[in-house]
């Protein structure tokens, strides 16, 4: 998964503004207690990070 695809899905799920807030502020246990932004900055793949978002939030099947 490319980062552009990741961010498109984040925005579809949360909306433009809230997607950025979720990425910056929400700590995910599936990412070892890191935020989306931290995990991506640490080199985690966008696919793995998206999987963690899907596991944490009620993401519809069409976006998974």
């Amino acid at each position: 998964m490319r980062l552009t695809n990741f961010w498109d899905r984040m925005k579809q799920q949360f909306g433009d503004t809230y997607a950025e807030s979720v990425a910056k502020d929400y700590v995910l246990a599936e990412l070892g207690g890191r935020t989306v932004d931290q995990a991506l900055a640490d080199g985690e793949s966008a696919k793995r990070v998206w999987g963690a978002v899907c596991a944490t939030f009620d993401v519809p099947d069409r976006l998974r």
Side-chain angles (χ1 to χ4, degrees):
M1 169 184 283
R2 294 181 180 200
L3 272 176
T4 54
N5 191 15
F6 171 84
W7 285 111
D8 285 344
R9 290 181 187 195
M10 285 287 287
K11 290 175 182 178
Q12 287 178 54
Q13 173 65 20
F14 300 107
D16 289 343
T17 304
Y18 191 54
E20 293 176 20
S21 177
V22 168
K24 183 179 84 172
D25 299 325
Y26 202 93
V27 175
L28 294 121
E30 291 82 2
L31 296 175
R34 296 177 291 176
T35 65
V36 166
D37 285 346
Q38 289 169 332
L40 291 172
D42 288 345
E44 291 289 344
S45 72
K47 183 177 182 177
R48 183 179 183 297
V49 175
W50 182 246
V53 171
C54 290
T56 303
F57 297 96
D58 189 23
V59 177
D61 289 340
R62 67 178 177 77
L63 292 176
R64 288 183 181 250

